[in-house]
Amino acid sequence: MMDLTPLIYLVDDDERVLRALNRLLASAGYEVATYANAEDFLDQHCPERPGCAVVDLNLPGLNGFGIQDAFSSANIERPVIFLTGHGDIPTTVRAMKAGAIDFLTKPVDAPALLAAVDTALAQDERSRHDGQQRKSFEQRLATLTPREREVLDHVVTGQLNKQIAGDLGTVEKTIKVHRSRMMVKMDVKTIAELVRLVTQAKI
Protein backbone atom coordinates (compact mmCIF):
# COMPACT_ATOMS: atom_id res chain seq x y z
CA MET A 1 0.00 0.00 0.00
CA MET A 2 1.22 3.49 -0.86
CA ASP A 3 2.59 5.44 2.12
CA LEU A 4 0.54 8.65 2.28
CA THR A 5 2.74 10.32 4.91
CA PRO A 6 4.19 13.51 3.38
CA LEU A 7 7.83 13.14 2.40
CA ILE A 8 10.25 16.07 2.12
CA TYR A 9 12.79 15.51 -0.66
CA LEU A 10 16.08 17.34 -0.02
CA VAL A 11 18.37 17.75 -3.03
CA ASP A 12 21.77 19.44 -2.47
CA ASP A 13 25.32 18.53 -3.48
CA ASP A 14 26.71 19.98 -0.21
CA GLU A 15 26.73 17.14 2.31
CA ARG A 16 26.86 19.54 5.27
CA VAL A 17 23.77 21.37 4.05
CA LEU A 18 21.93 18.07 3.55
CA ARG A 19 22.75 16.95 7.09
CA ALA A 20 21.78 20.28 8.65
CA LEU A 21 18.48 20.55 6.80
CA ASN A 22 17.70 16.89 7.42
CA ARG A 23 18.15 17.44 11.17
CA LEU A 24 16.03 20.58 11.10
CA LEU A 25 13.13 19.02 9.23
CA ALA A 26 13.30 15.72 11.13
CA SER A 27 13.22 17.62 14.43
CA ALA A 28 10.06 19.36 13.20
CA GLY A 29 8.46 15.94 12.68
CA TYR A 30 8.87 15.56 8.93
CA GLU A 31 9.97 12.44 7.10
CA VAL A 32 12.93 13.30 4.88
CA ALA A 33 14.79 11.73 1.94
CA THR A 34 18.14 13.22 0.87
CA TYR A 35 19.86 13.26 -2.53
CA ALA A 36 23.21 14.68 -3.66
CA ASN A 37 22.14 15.24 -7.27
CA ALA A 38 19.09 15.75 -9.45
CA GLU A 39 19.51 12.51 -11.38
CA ASP A 40 19.29 10.26 -8.30
CA PHE A 41 16.35 12.26 -7.00
CA LEU A 42 14.38 11.96 -10.25
CA ASP A 43 15.17 8.23 -10.50
CA GLN A 44 13.78 7.56 -7.01
CA HIS A 45 11.06 10.21 -6.84
CA CYS A 46 7.53 8.86 -6.33
CA PRO A 47 4.88 11.23 -7.79
CA GLU A 48 2.07 9.45 -5.93
CA ARG A 49 3.63 10.16 -2.53
CA PRO A 50 2.48 13.43 -0.92
CA GLY A 51 5.17 15.96 -0.06
CA CYS A 52 7.42 18.63 -1.52
CA ALA A 53 10.98 19.10 -2.76
CA VAL A 54 13.63 21.41 -1.29
CA VAL A 55 16.16 21.83 -4.08
CA ASP A 56 19.51 23.59 -4.43
CA LEU A 57 19.12 25.65 -7.58
CA ASN A 58 22.79 25.41 -8.57
CA LEU A 59 23.25 21.65 -8.64
CA PRO A 60 26.04 20.21 -10.79
CA GLY A 61 24.70 18.53 -13.93
CA LEU A 62 20.96 18.92 -14.02
CA ASN A 63 20.14 21.99 -11.93
CA GLY A 64 17.02 23.01 -10.04
CA PHE A 65 15.32 24.43 -13.12
CA GLY A 66 16.05 21.13 -14.86
CA ILE A 67 14.17 19.31 -12.10
CA GLN A 68 11.23 21.66 -12.52
CA ASP A 69 11.29 21.11 -16.29
CA ALA A 70 11.36 17.32 -15.78
CA PHE A 71 8.29 17.55 -13.53
CA SER A 72 6.50 19.73 -16.05
CA SER A 73 7.29 17.38 -18.95
CA ALA A 74 5.96 14.42 -16.94
CA ASN A 75 2.89 16.41 -15.83
CA ILE A 76 3.93 16.05 -12.18
CA GLU A 77 2.64 18.73 -9.81
CA ARG A 78 5.33 18.56 -7.12
CA PRO A 79 5.75 21.76 -5.07
CA VAL A 80 9.37 22.94 -5.14
CA ILE A 81 11.27 25.24 -2.77
CA PHE A 82 14.55 26.53 -4.19
CA LEU A 83 17.71 27.20 -2.19
CA THR A 84 20.64 29.19 -3.52
CA GLY A 85 23.95 30.55 -2.26
CA HIS A 86 23.68 33.68 -4.39
CA GLY A 87 20.18 34.73 -5.31
CA ASP A 88 19.44 37.58 -7.68
CA ILE A 89 16.18 39.16 -8.76
CA PRO A 90 16.02 37.78 -12.35
CA THR A 91 16.66 34.23 -11.10
CA THR A 92 14.11 34.61 -8.34
CA VAL A 93 11.51 35.90 -10.80
CA ARG A 94 12.20 33.00 -13.17
CA ALA A 95 11.85 30.48 -10.34
CA MET A 96 8.57 31.91 -9.13
CA LYS A 97 7.14 32.16 -12.65
CA ALA A 98 8.03 28.50 -13.12
CA GLY A 99 5.87 27.68 -10.12
CA ALA A 100 8.33 27.54 -7.22
CA ILE A 101 6.74 27.86 -3.77
CA ASP A 102 9.62 29.93 -2.40
CA PHE A 103 13.19 30.97 -3.13
CA LEU A 104 15.44 31.01 -0.06
CA THR A 105 19.04 32.17 0.19
CA LYS A 106 21.67 30.17 2.09
CA PRO A 107 22.38 30.04 4.94
CA VAL A 108 18.73 29.15 5.24
CA ASP A 109 16.66 30.77 7.96
CA ALA A 110 15.04 27.87 9.83
CA PRO A 111 11.62 29.48 10.47
CA ALA A 112 11.45 30.63 6.83
CA LEU A 113 12.17 27.12 5.55
CA LEU A 114 9.64 25.50 7.87
CA ALA A 115 7.01 28.05 6.84
CA ALA A 116 7.76 27.41 3.16
CA VAL A 117 7.48 23.64 3.69
CA ASP A 118 4.12 24.07 5.42
CA THR A 119 2.90 26.17 2.49
CA ALA A 120 4.20 23.62 -0.02
CA LEU A 121 2.52 20.71 1.75
CA ALA A 122 -0.78 22.58 1.92
CA GLN A 123 -0.57 23.27 -1.82
CA ASP A 124 0.29 19.63 -2.52
CA GLU A 125 -2.74 18.49 -0.53
CA ARG A 126 -5.03 20.88 -2.45
CA SER A 127 -3.56 19.80 -5.77
CA ARG A 128 -4.06 16.11 -4.98
CA HIS A 129 -7.63 16.71 -3.84
CA ASP A 130 -8.40 18.66 -7.02
CA GLY A 131 -6.79 15.91 -9.10
CA GLN A 132 -8.95 13.26 -7.47
CA GLN A 133 -12.04 15.39 -8.10
CA ARG A 134 -11.11 15.79 -11.78
CA LYS A 135 -10.47 12.07 -12.15
CA SER A 136 -13.83 11.22 -10.59
CA PHE A 137 -15.55 13.72 -12.88
CA GLU A 138 -13.84 12.35 -15.99
CA GLN A 139 -14.83 8.80 -15.06
CA ARG A 140 -18.46 9.85 -14.75
CA LEU A 141 -18.24 11.87 -17.96
CA ALA A 142 -16.97 8.78 -19.80
CA THR A 143 -20.22 6.93 -18.96
CA LEU A 144 -22.35 9.41 -20.94
CA THR A 145 -23.59 8.63 -24.42
CA PRO A 146 -22.64 11.15 -27.14
CA ARG A 147 -26.15 12.65 -27.02
CA GLU A 148 -26.09 12.88 -23.19
CA ARG A 149 -22.76 14.71 -23.45
CA GLU A 150 -24.31 17.14 -25.93
CA VAL A 151 -27.19 17.74 -23.53
CA LEU A 152 -24.73 18.36 -20.69
CA ASP A 153 -22.87 20.93 -22.77
CA HIS A 154 -26.11 22.79 -23.44
CA VAL A 155 -27.47 22.48 -19.89
CA VAL A 156 -24.42 24.09 -18.27
CA THR A 157 -24.86 27.16 -20.50
CA GLY A 158 -28.28 27.67 -18.93
CA GLN A 159 -30.43 26.53 -21.84
CA LEU A 160 -33.93 25.17 -21.25
CA ASN A 161 -35.06 21.76 -22.53
CA LYS A 162 -37.08 23.38 -25.32
CA GLN A 163 -34.06 25.39 -26.50
CA ILE A 164 -31.80 22.32 -26.37
CA ALA A 165 -34.34 20.31 -28.36
CA GLY A 166 -34.38 23.01 -31.02
CA ASP A 167 -30.59 23.12 -31.24
CA LEU A 168 -30.27 19.33 -31.43
CA GLY A 169 -33.17 18.81 -33.81
CA THR A 170 -35.32 16.66 -31.54
CA VAL A 171 -38.34 16.98 -29.26
CA GLU A 172 -38.43 18.33 -25.71
CA LYS A 173 -39.61 15.00 -24.27
CA THR A 174 -36.49 13.26 -25.60
CA ILE A 175 -34.24 15.93 -24.12
CA LYS A 176 -35.92 15.46 -20.73
CA VAL A 177 -35.03 11.75 -20.85
CA HIS A 178 -31.41 12.39 -21.84
CA ARG A 179 -31.10 15.12 -19.23
CA SER A 180 -32.46 12.90 -16.47
CA ARG A 181 -30.09 10.05 -17.37
CA MET A 182 -27.16 12.45 -17.63
CA MET A 183 -27.83 13.89 -14.15
CA VAL A 184 -28.01 10.39 -12.64
CA LYS A 185 -24.74 9.31 -14.30
CA MET A 186 -23.00 12.51 -13.20
CA ASP A 187 -24.35 11.92 -9.66
CA VAL A 188 -25.76 15.41 -9.26
CA LYS A 189 -29.22 16.54 -8.23
CA THR A 190 -29.15 20.17 -9.33
CA ILE A 191 -27.86 22.18 -12.27
CA ALA A 192 -25.82 24.25 -9.81
CA GLU A 193 -23.95 21.11 -8.73
CA LEU A 194 -23.35 20.15 -12.35
CA VAL A 195 -22.04 23.60 -13.26
CA ARG A 196 -19.72 23.55 -10.25
CA LEU A 197 -18.34 20.15 -11.26
CA VAL A 198 -17.75 21.26 -14.83
CA THR A 199 -16.07 24.48 -13.67
CA GLN A 200 -13.80 22.65 -11.23
CA ALA A 201 -12.79 20.18 -13.93
CA LYS A 202 -12.18 23.08 -16.36
CA ILE A 203 -14.18 21.36 -19.09
Side-chain angles (χ1 to χ4, degrees):
M1 181 179 291
M2 171 62 60
D3 188 347
L4 298 181
T5 304
L7 179 64
I8 313 302
Y9 296 93
L10 286 178
V11 191
D12 199 305
D13 61 318
D14 188 327
E15 188 177 343
R16 291 173 300 174
V17 172
L18 275 183
R19 285 201 304 266
L21 295 182
N22 191 1
R23 283 197 301 270
L24 170 65
L25 291 167
S27 68
Y30 294 114
E31 187 174 341
V32 183
T34 60
Y35 304 89
N37 58 71
E39 290 78 10
D40 287 347
F41 164 55
L42 292 173
D43 282 344
Q44 298 175 47
H45 175 258
C46 177
E48 289 76 28
R49 179 91 183 257
C52 68
V54 180
V55 178
D56 179 24
L57 182 62
N58 304 301
L59 292 165
L62 191 68
N63 65 16
F65 286 129
I67 289 176
Q68 239 177 353
D69 290 343
F71 283 160
S72 180
S73 297
N75 201 29
I76 296 171
E77 296 184 25
R78 172 68 69 195
V80 176
I81 299 163
F82 279 135
L83 307 180
T84 182
H86 41 81
D88 57 71
I89 292 176
T91 305
T92 303
V93 170
R94 179 184 172 190
M96 302 309 281
K97 281 186 175 180
I101 295 294
D102 213 334
F103 191 91
L104 305 176
T105 304
K106 298 177 182 178
V108 179
D109 177 69
L113 177 60
L114 293 176
V117 167
D118 285 343
T119 299
L121 293 180
Q123 177 172 308
D124 185 62
E125 184 176 3
R126 286 194 302 272
S127 176
R128 290 176 186 280
H129 174 74
D130 291 347
Q132 289 170 348
Q133 293 287 91
R134 282 195 300 272
K135 184 177 180 180
S136 173
F137 178 87
E138 288 163 1
Q139 288 172 339
R140 283 178 274 175
L141 199 65
T143 67
L144 301 182
T145 65
R147 180 47 62 100
E148 287 166 355
R149 176 60 195 267
E150 286 181 323
V151 170
L152 181 151
D153 291 339
H154 283 74
V155 166
V156 295
T157 66
Q159 285 188 303
L160 302 175
N161 290 340
K162 185 176 181 178
Q163 294 171 310
I164 300 172
D167 285 349
L168 298 184
T170 186
V171 297
E172 187 175 352
K173 182 178 179 181
T174 300
I175 294 301
K176 285 181 179 179
V177 172
H178 288 311
R179 180 170 176 160
S180 175
R181 289 173 179 169
M182 177 270 292
M183 296 288 281
V184 170
K185 290 180 180 180
M186 295 306 295
D187 193 26
V188 293
K189 292 182 171 56
T190 67
I191 299 304
E193 284 183 76
L194 182 65
V195 170
R196 185 166 59 251
L197 274 178
V198 171
T199 302
Q200 288 174 343
K202 297 181 175 60
I203 300 298

